[in-house]
Amino acid sequence: MVRVPLTEAERARGERLGAVLREARGARSMVEVAAEAGISVETLRKIETGRIPTPAFFTVVALADAVGLPLEALRGAVPTG
């Protein structure tokens, strides 16, 4: 299966998502937040740096919960269109 390349807007949205999550993580370590969210540190690192610009919904929910960020706040911080 061939994957359609992401648009520039999709890449920018992924980078913004990563920045918002990184900011919400604050001084907490990646190891601590990844463990609480039930994902690997490498996955968290890739999301925070925008290398995974379209993470799975449940991964985003788990990360938002782990950093104490309401989904509505996340939605407002990351443009969807």
Side-chain angles (χ1 to χ4, degrees), residues 4-5 10 14 22 26 29 32 37 48 50 57 61-62 71 76 78:
V4 176
E10 289 167 329
R22 188 171 47 253
S29 75
E32 179 184 351
E48 285 191 356
F57 173 75
V61 170
L71 286 180
V78 179

Side-chain angles (χ1 to χ4, degrees), residues 6-38:
L6 296 172
T7 66
E8 192 60 41
E10 289 167 329
R11 279 192 291 278
R13 187 177 61 220
E15 289 172 2
R16 179 68 184 139
L17 172 65
V20 169
L21 289 170
R22 188 171 47 253
E23 183 178 325
R25 180 168 56 85
R28 294 175 63 194
S29 75
M30 291 182 103
V31 172
E32 179 184 351
V33 171
E36 189 171 332

Side-chain angles (χ1 to χ4, degrees), residues 41-67:
V41 175
E42 185 59 24
T43 296
L44 177 56
R45 180 177 292 111
K46 287 178 180 179
I47 291 170
E48 285 191 356
T49 59
R51 288 176 36 218
I52 299 178
T54 56
F57 173 75
F58 293 106
T59 300
V60 173
V61 170
L63 283 171
D65 284 347
V67 298

